[in-house]
Amino acid sequence: MVKKDLNPFETKLRKTGSAAGVTIPAEFLRHLGYEIGDTLRVTIDGDGLAIRKIDPEFDDFMALYDQIAVHYQPSLKRLFR
């Protein structure tokens, strides 16, 4: 993916049922590799929001890493001294 400067944009928070939504320009979505139907994770980041596409393969890897890290923690500590 080519790095491209994208100008900030303004959008309104709109009521969608009992929730709210925003519109994100297509060029931003293309730049990030997001597609309609992707599942996104939204978290609070300071006084704003962070939006990231969920990557099930990466999430599975990180869950496995967490299990391994706990099991091998003493060895990993010695290895990275």
Side-chain angles (χ1 to χ4, degrees):
M1 186 176 310
V2 176
K3 178 124 171 94
K4 175 180 166 185
D5 291 329
L6 297 173
N7 292 326
F9 67 96
E10 293 182 7
T11 187
K12 291 196 181 280
L13 195 57
R14 292 180 172 80
K15 184 172 175 56
T16 306
S18 63
V22 297
T23 302
I24 302 170
E27 68 182 48
F28 276 70
L29 299 176
R30 278 192 301 274
H31 178 78
L32 295 169
Y34 291 11
E35 296 178 2
I36 301 302
D38 286 343
T39 302
L40 306 177
R41 177 172 289 127
V42 181
T43 56
I44 295 174
D45 185 5
D47 62 351
L49 299 174
I51 303 171
R52 292 191 172 47
K53 183 164 73 169
I54 291 177
D55 180 346
E57 188 175 304
F58 178 77
D59 290 345
D60 290 346
F61 173 81
M62 291 308 295
L64 178 61
Y65 172 80
D66 289 342
Q67 293 173 6
I68 292 170
V70 167
H71 183 74
Y72 292 103
Q73 186 174 18
S75 299
L76 291 170
K77 281 185 178 180
R78 286 194 302 273
L79 184 62
F80 293 107
R81 276 190 199 167

